[in-house]
Amino acid sequence: MKPGTKCIHAGAEPDPSTGAIMTPIYQTSTFVQAAPGKHKGFEYARSQNPTRFALEEALAVIENGKYGLAFSSGVAATDAVLKLLQPGDEVIAANDMYGGTYRLFTRVFEKFGIRFHYINMQQAENIQSYVNKNTKLIWTETPTNPLINIVDIAAVAAIAKANNILLCVDNTFASPYLQNPLDLGADIVMHSATKYLGGHSDVIQGALVMNDQALRDQLYFIQKSCGAVPGPMDCFLVLRGIKTLHVRMQRHCENGEKIAHFLRNHPKVGHVYWCGFDDHPGYTVAKKQMRGFGGMISFTLQDDSVETAMTLLSSTKVFSLAESLGGVESLINHPATMTHASIPREERLKNGLSDSLIRLSVGIEDAEDLIDDLKAAIG
């Protein structure tokens, strides 16, 4: 099936008891057994839930994978991947990534004896010098949050395979509609399903997708044992969101392109970070591995001061100042004090994330209204 058809039909089977076309919300904590150990495949809702299973099937289908697992948040999904490791193991991670991932790595897992190397992955060959016998995981995201850098997934996967290292790709910014890392050699794909998969800013959820059954079984054991599972209502909401992922992403891409070019041509705007510009350093790779360039844009102003940026951030009417991204409504964000505040300032600046950087999650409103809103706010 084509991607749009997959989104609508993935994981959707008529309810066998009623014929309901939408997956029921199985709002139950436990399941009655005919005798000890004799049941219908469901024992306890932390371990199994029919609504969650339908979502996990859908996640696998839209990512061209075999197995999906749903978690209570994107960070919980990331946490599960890190729990595959042992003290003394090493991780090579992108130096430009979501602040919550950096916080989890540095503030939680470092104290359990896992060592992290944060490197520039825009050149895949940078990875090789950090590989040693203790390297067990490469963690990357592309496009990156918030600088919209592009990582060549196939090139990184080749290095990972040659050294028997797991590769996990955070695919949140692209979504499965624009990019499928498993097809490019990744072992695990991670999503904050809160974002584009849910798409309506009404649910917190995470997801992992993979092809290897042994890896799935390890991660399912962690999911069941550690308990960071989503409730059935949340699973229903993400299932519903997936059904319109393709049409929403098409509009996100259309609006993103218009706003990126508007910003680039504005005399008061400094640098615009968007991977759809043909002079973007990662443009060739993005065009190769993505079906579109998405609706995530970051920019600075010519007056590159925090005060001017703060004024703009508080002046929009259609763009809402809020954390998160990927919803139908447009959001404006200040990474240095919001999504990436947990990264030390010197690390942020070293990676190019300035105090005055502004991030946009371009929604699916009329592009003209969004442009007018930014035009008035920039002044």
Side-chain angles (χ1 to χ4, degrees):
M1 290 187 288
K2 302 296 184 185
T5 310
K6 280 184 179 180
C7 287
I8 291 173
H9 293 281
E13 297 290 340
D15 178 52
S17 60
T18 65
I21 195 167
M22 297 301 293
T23 304
I25 302 165
Y26 286 90
Q27 194 70 50
T28 183
S29 61
T30 194
F31 302 86
V32 174
Q33 303 184 28
K38 186 178 180 182
H39 50 76
K40 300 177 181 179
F42 300 94
E43 304 164 279
Y44 185 60
R46 174 168 42 77
S47 303
Q48 313 101 354
N49 181 281
T51 314
R52 191 173 86 227
F53 279 12
L55 171 61
E56 291 175 337
E57 171 64 21
L59 293 168
V61 169
I62 62 175
E63 271 293 9
N64 297 337
K66 293 182 180 178
Y67 310 102
L69 293 170
F71 292 82
S72 55
S73 69
V75 172
T78 304
D79 176 84
V81 175
L82 269 292
K83 284 174 178 170
L84 294 169
L85 306 179
Q86 303 288 333
D89 288 348
E90 297 188 13
V91 178
I92 302 172
N95 62 359
D96 174 24
M97 63 177 174
Y98 169 52
T101 305
Y102 179 88
R103 180 178 57 227
L104 179 69
F105 289 179
T106 58
R107 301 289 294 276
V108 177
F109 281 99
E110 274 188 4
K111 68 182 181 183
F112 294 122
I114 296 172
R115 186 179 181 194
F116 296 87
H117 303 279
Y118 301 99
I119 70 166
N120 182 327
M121 285 194 188
Q122 282 85 73
Q123 302 299 324
E125 57 268 24
N126 291 345
I127 296 171
Q128 192 62 55
S129 62
Y130 291 88
V131 173
N132 61 56
K133 61 183 177 61
N134 297 320
T135 310
K136 297 298 188 294
L137 174 68
I138 297 173
W139 183 280
T140 194
E141 60 183 56
T142 182
T144 63
N145 181 1
L147 295 174
I148 321 298
N149 287 312
I150 299 297
V151 176
D152 188 331
I153 298 171
V156 176
I159 295 170
K161 290 286 188 296
N163 293 279
N164 195 30
I165 300 168
L166 283 175
L167 171 60
C168 184
V169 177
D170 182 339
N171 199 31
T172 299
F173 265 32
S175 88
Y177 184 71
L178 299 183
Q179 181 172 269
N180 300 115
L182 295 179
D183 292 347
L184 299 169
D187 298 292
I188 307 170
V189 178
M190 195 286 290
H191 284 278
S192 172
T194 307
K195 313 305 193 296
Y196 286 111
L197 293 181
H200 293 80
S201 303
D202 55 9
V203 64
I204 298 290
Q205 196 172 120
L208 299 175
V209 183
M210 68 294 303
N211 280 321
D212 183 80
Q213 183 172 354
L215 183 57
R216 179 265 174 198
D217 291 346
Q218 286 180 279
L219 288 165
Y220 172 69
F221 176 81
I222 292 167
Q223 180 200 46
K224 177 178 69 172
S225 300
C226 297
V229 294
M233 182 66 194
D234 289 348
C235 293
F236 173 84
L237 289 171
V238 176
L239 271 169
R240 185 177 67 170
I242 287 172
K243 287 182 180 295
T244 59
L245 176 65
H246 57 303
V247 290
R248 288 187 287 106
M249 290 308 300
Q250 289 164 11
R251 185 60 171 263
H252 285 300
C253 289
E254 292 169 7
N255 283 357
E257 181 174 6
K258 291 175 182 176
I259 287 171
H261 284 281
F262 158 75
L263 289 170
R264 175 171 265 200
N265 293 324
H266 197 291
K268 291 188 178 180
V269 172
H271 188 77
V272 181
Y273 301 83
W274 181 65
C275 60
F277 293 131
D278 59 12
D279 60 352
H280 184 286
Y283 174 78
T284 302
V285 174
K287 194 171 182 182
K288 177 184 70 173
Q289 68 188 20
M290 298 173 70
R291 301 181 189 92
F293 301 113
M296 296 304 301
I297 301 167
S298 294
F299 69 98
T300 57
L301 297 169
Q302 289 285 3
D303 176 8
D304 194 21
S305 68
V306 175
E307 293 74 23
T308 305
M310 290 296 182
T311 299
L312 190 159
L313 286 156
S314 300
S315 299
T316 56
K317 301 295 190 293
V318 182
F319 280 86
S320 298
L321 178 60
E323 302 218 9
S324 201
L325 60 103
V328 293
E329 64 289 311
S330 293
L331 301 179
I332 190 167
N333 171 281
H334 184 234
T337 59
M338 297 169 75
T339 53
H340 290 68
S342 58
I343 299 177
R345 184 173 185 269
E346 60 274 14
E347 288 297 316
R348 285 193 289 102
L349 295 176
K350 186 170 68 177
N351 297 333
L353 201 172
S354 69
D355 290 339
S356 57
L357 186 78
I358 296 167
R359 192 191 76 182
L360 302 178
S361 173
V362 179
I364 65 172
E365 302 95 337
D366 287 298
E368 293 78 7
D369 291 328
L370 297 175
I371 290 171
D372 288 344
D373 189 39
L374 289 171
K375 194 180 295 182
I378 294 170

